[in-house]
Every structure is written in C-alpha cells, then in structure tokens.
Amino acid sequence: MSSALLADLRARGLIFQIAGEDDLPAWLDGGVRTLYCGFDPTADSLHIGSLVPLLMLRRFQLAGHKPLALVGGATGLIGDPSFKAQERQLNTPEVVSGWVAKLQQQVSRFIEFDDGPVSAEVVNNLDWTANMDVLTFLRDVGKHFSVNAMIQKESVKQRIEREGSGISYTEFTYMILQSFDFAELNKRYDCTLQLGGSDQWGNITGGIDLTRRLNGNQVFGLTMPLITKADGTKFGKTESGTIWLDAAKTSPYAFYQFWLGCADADVYRFLKYFTFLEVDEINEIERADAERQGRPEAQAILAQEVTRLVHGDEGLAAAQRITESLFSGSIEDLAEGDLAQLRQDGLPASTVSRADFPETLTQMLTDAGMAGSGKQVKDALGRNAVTVNNRSLGWEDNARVAASFEPSEALHGRFYLCKLGKKKYHLFEIGA
RNA sequence: GGAGGGGUUCCCGAGUGGCCAAAGGGAUCAGACUGUAAAUCUGACGCGAAAGCUUCGGUGGUUCGAAUCCACCCCCCUCCA
C-alpha cells in the first residue's frame, strides 16, 4: 500500500530526511495511519512555499492515510525561530486568530474531508495550549527538554552563536510548543507521522522524543527539501513580491505567469514537486522538450497543473484567457466583452476619467502601479518600451497624456491596453 | 550594574567636516539578444517632468558648511558581575 508511496516520493525528490526510516515503510503498509503537518499563521494567506507540504498531505491521503492540517493558532503567537536570522515581531492575538480562520479555509482546498476513514481534518493547537497554565507547562512538558540539547540544534545555532543577533526566551520555547503538538495529536488522533520542510527537522525530532517520553509511542518524521532555484535566488519571490495562494492577493493570472516563467533548469524538478503527474510522464515531457528546438513545453504544463490545483478550472481558464490575448493574440481582435472579462479575470486595470488625467505619463503609469517610480517610467519611455494599444510612446509624449490616449484610438470607445516593457500590462478604462 | 562594539539609501557594506544623494557588490527595473527563458552586454536605480526637495537610529548643538564633531536619548550585540 505505501512503501510504493515512499518510492514515488523519493523519485520525485520530495524526501529530505526521515526519522525512523527503517520502520516507516512497514508501518505505512500496515494500515491507515494518521499524519500531520503544521502551518503557522504569519500572514493572512499561505504562499507557494506551503504548497509542497499541502500537496504532500494529499499524496499521503491518496495513498490511503489520514491527513491532519494543523493551523498554528498558538505557535503563530510565538514565532518559529528556525533558521531565521532575526527575532520576529509579535502579532496581536486578534490578528493571528483572523489569519487562522483564513488559513483553515485555504488549507481545506487541498485535502479531501469526506473520504471515509482517511477523511482529512483541520486542527488548531490553540485548542490544547490556550488554557494550559505556565506551571503545568513547565512541569509536564518543559521538564523533558534539555536546554543543553536545545541550544545544539542547528536551527537556532546562528541565533545563539552569531554576533549581531540573539534569541528571546519566547522564540526559544517554540520548539517545545511544536513538540507538544505532536505528542498531543498522537494522544488525540493516534497521529504517528509529522511532515515538514527541512527547516523543521529540529522541531519534528523534538516532538518525536517528547511523544516517546509522554506517551511511550514511537512516531515518525519526514522532511521535504528546501525548494531551490538553479540560479540561487530564493524560490517563491518575484519582483512584485511573494506569490500567494489567495486569489485576492495574487491573481490567478499572475500566479499562472509565475510558473510560466520558470527556468528550464528548474521546471522538470518542479513538475515533480508541484503536480500529481506521474514521474514517467514528466520524464517523457523532458525528453520531448530536449528533442524539440526552441521553447520547451514544460513550463506551460507546470503553470496549467499548479494553477488548476490552487485556483480551480475557472481560475486557470481566466489566467489562460489573459495570457492568450496578451501574448499570442492581437488585441484589436478582442471583443468588448473580452476586455471587460480580462479585467474581471485579474488583469491589472483601472478606470480614469479624462478630466482627471495627471500632467504626465510618469505620474499616470506610476499611479496605476505599472512602475515603482517616475524614473522607471522615464527610462522605459526613453527606450520606447511603453505602448498604448500597440502604439509606441516616447519621452516626448510624457506631458502629452491626452494625446497618448486619443479617443479615436480607444478599443470599443473606452479601453486602452498599456504595456510597459515586455510583460507588464495594464488596462485603462477611460471615461469622459 | 560594569566594560566594549554597533545602528548608513531594498539588502550587504564603504564613507570620520566641504569634491556626498553618499564607493562597491547583490537585488530590482528597462534596452539589445531570445523562447514572455538562461547567459552576456548596456542603461537606470531617494522623490520629482523640471526647478527643486528630503535622507545616513532620535533630539538638540558647534560650524559658512555635518552621515562625519559635541551633548543627551532610544535600540541591538559581545564579554564581565
């Protein structure tokens, strides 16, 4: 039943370390097991960094195990110091609980809740920590931890040893809290496996030790590799910031574009990490791409698969509609309804009335969010990198805003598709 | 509580009285080349169309002139007690 799962995960490169490696395959094969992975509320949405663990829960579920998604209502109040260079700012309980509610909803999209014995559940560690008093915590939980061992953990080492940083007692306690979660889930749900990113190894093994001491049970841990990019830059961030899972924060279109822009050197690896396509299938794609000249197909497949997983068929369709019209089609062919639809679909857009035109294009495009400052627009104009409905504008047009948005050039009387550089589009809807 | 080190533009990091909007690197943006790639090369990179305006932890002061000197304050780190 499940050593096949481990083999698949290994083939995908999704396994970094396993605690209890010798016994885990047999344990998984022996029946329905409950496993969990935690997600701390550090923002009002998860970002794509959480995608691998989320899909991992689903992979286990598909293989016949019961996943628990833990949203850290308690741990989110403390802050995980693991491999963080600096102490983090505490968020207020109100803010955190608001985030918890959002994450619970988000997490739920990736796992199946109505699936018999392997039905997923969402749990919150605030449930078993909120009412625990300090003395009980210190006596029943803290007593099992050796500070000597804790300060040896790689995850907090730089905070303890490196000059220029430090760690508060609060954050130092995080590991104990997370360990307690595992022991508690073991007791409540018979949970015997914890998943996490490789940065969670220290916290996971802490939980394994505590579970053994508190409950006398052997439990397992599995970590996934840190997602890296071939060029060494951080995965999941772009020029415009974090790629969120929330459609309101990162539109399906932007999300789709993110994956489409994936480097050749990364794309096949990412297909294995982020999709449910079979490894053989992915290898086949890679071979086909290698034989073909020019543009590989893998990015399009990756973008399609992941966007569908996160935003559903509708979100994917919207993203592809926009992409198609901007990069392949010609904008003159777009029907009036299509343009309105693009706006609906999440193409950056704004409505301006002629009476409110600013003095300069630099102002107008900066206001629209197309550039961070007028200087950037100036630079782009100077290189003929700005177009409005396919007509290129130059620096000399800067003060001629109205002339740049000639009524006679409007699409369907009111739309102007403005492009800055090669990829940045903005739809202006201009009324009288 | 004591001693010492430090806080510079997104990040790292130079800069100890004018030549400093502040070296260098990274990141980012734009152009060429391309595949809406990569690598490479070029330009931009506090704000502003410009005139000009605002920055070097904070507040005051010295000076014709301060990121640089002085005073006080805040924050961080290390060691000692």
Side-chain angles (χ1 to χ4, degrees):
Chain A
M1 190 202 284
S2 279
S3 34
L5 169 64
L6 290 178
D8 179 57
L9 295 179
R10 219 168 238 124
R12 288 177 179 277
L14 280 171
I15 296 179
F16 186 70
Q17 276 173 300
I18 295 180
E21 183 149 20
D22 295 343
D23 300 328
L24 185 59
W27 175 250
L28 290 175
D29 284 344
V32 175
R33 308 303 182 190
T34 301
L35 64 139
Y36 100 94
C37 181
F39 302 89
D40 271 359
T42 54
D44 60 358
S45 168
L46 293 174
H47 51 82
I48 55 176
S50 298
L51 216 43
V52 166
L54 279 169
L55 299 183
M56 202 66 167
L57 285 177
R58 180 61 181 153
R59 292 182 202 280
F60 273 85
Q61 188 173 34
L62 289 169
H65 300 288
K66 178 183 174 68
L68 304 176
L70 180 150
V71 175
T75 35
L77 290 168
I78 303 304
D80 185 359
S82 298
F83 299 100
K84 300 280 188 328
Q86 286 188 323
E87 182 84 10
R88 293 208 272 162
Q89 190 72 40
L90 289 177
N91 296 301
T92 66
E94 294 74 37
V95 166
V96 172
S97 74
W99 291 350
V100 166
K102 292 201 167 188
L103 295 207
Q104 283 174 330
Q105 216 177 351
Q106 223 168 37
V107 151
S108 303
R109 289 214 305 273
F110 295 88
I111 40 186
E112 193 57 55
F113 287 86
D114 190 18
D115 200 5
V118 299
S119 295
E121 292 188 50
V122 175
V123 296
N124 183 348
N125 55 15
L126 197 59
D127 292 347
W128 53 83
T129 48
N131 294 317
M132 180 182 263
D133 65 275
V134 199
L135 294 177
T136 305
F137 176 75
L138 290 175
R139 290 177 60 93
D140 294 356
V141 184
K143 194 68 176 170
H144 296 290
F145 287 81
S146 146
V147 168
N148 309 50
M150 287 171 74
I151 60 175
Q152 291 305 319
K153 300 264 183 189
E154 206 53 49
S155 53
V156 292
K157 224 167 198 169
Q158 66 162 324
R159 290 282 290 278
I160 289 169
E161 290 178 354
R162 203 178 111 190
E163 191 165 339
S165 68
I167 184 168
S168 68
Y169 185 73
T170 305
E171 282 196 8
F172 190 58
T173 312
Y174 183 93
M175 183 193 305
I176 299 182
L177 272 184
Q178 184 169 328
S179 298
F180 184 59
D181 287 343
F182 201 177
E184 196 63 19
L185 288 173
N186 176 252
K187 198 158 73 183
R188 295 181 176 217
Y189 294 89
D190 195 24
C191 176
T192 51
L193 172 64
Q194 181 179 178
L195 309 180
S198 56
D199 59 332
Q200 293 300 305
W201 182 253
N203 293 332
I204 292 175
T205 53
I208 292 174
D209 289 341
L210 184 65
T211 304
R212 186 174 51 242
R213 288 180 192 171
L214 245 33
N215 308 344
N217 293 329
Q218 192 207 346
V219 293
F220 302 89
L222 185 156
T223 61
M224 292 148 271
L226 180 73
I227 309 296
T228 55
K229 293 206 298 178
D231 62 7
T233 58
K234 201 172 176 189
F235 171 77
K237 303 267 189 204
T238 64
E239 55 281 8
S240 37
T242 306
I243 305 295
W244 302 95
L245 299 188
D246 184 345
K249 289 169 78 80
T250 298
S251 74
Y253 162 67
F255 188 85
Y256 183 85
Q257 285 287 323
F258 169 80
W259 296 101
L260 205 56
C262 180
D264 294 5
D266 294 320
V267 70
Y268 306 102
R269 207 157 40 91
F270 286 3
L271 278 168
K272 291 175 191 156
Y273 291 160
F274 294 103
T275 74
F276 289 101
L277 297 177
E278 298 297 334
V279 173
D280 287 347
E281 223 174 314
I282 295 167
N283 290 335
E284 180 52 43
I285 295 168
E286 181 166 9
R287 188 165 52 246
D289 278 343
E291 282 172 15
R292 188 177 323 115
Q293 296 296 316
R295 190 176 188 176
E297 224 156 63
Q299 279 87 346
I301 297 170
L302 177 68
Q304 169 173 316
E305 291 296 319
V306 186
T307 306
R308 181 161 41 219
L309 279 172
V310 175
H311 295 296
D313 286 322
E314 270 183 46
L316 172 63
Q320 289 181 325
R321 262 198 306 273
I322 300 180
T323 297
E324 183 66 23
S325 15
L326 297 186
F327 294 97
S328 309
S330 80
I331 59 167
E332 289 84 359
D333 295 342
L334 292 171
E336 186 164 7
D338 291 341
L339 285 162
Q341 182 66 46
L342 292 186
R343 187 169 186 174
Q344 200 76 29
D345 287 346
L347 179 70
S350 54
T351 305
V352 185
S353 83
R354 279 182 194 283
D356 295 335
F357 272 165
E359 306 248 319
T360 57
L361 288 174
T362 47
Q363 184 71 48
M364 180 141 169
L365 302 199
T366 305
D367 287 350
M370 294 188 77
S373 72
K375 283 253 169 57
Q376 289 180 11
V377 178
K378 177 180 178 178
D379 185 50
L381 281 169
R383 292 156 179 275
N384 293 313
V386 176
T387 64
V388 170
N389 285 348
N390 281 339
R391 185 166 67 88
S392 176
L393 299 178
W395 176 235
E396 67 281 1
D397 294 307
N398 189 38
R400 302 204 294 255
V401 179
S404 302
F405 291 87
E406 267 294 326
S408 63
E409 291 180 351
L411 299 170
H412 305 289
R414 58 201 163 107
F415 292 111
Y416 298 83
L417 188 63
C418 181
K419 181 167 79 145
L420 191 161
K422 284 172 186 160
K423 302 186 201 175
K424 276 188 257 182
Y425 288 92
H426 191 92
L427 183 67
F428 287 101
E429 186 173 342
I430 296 180

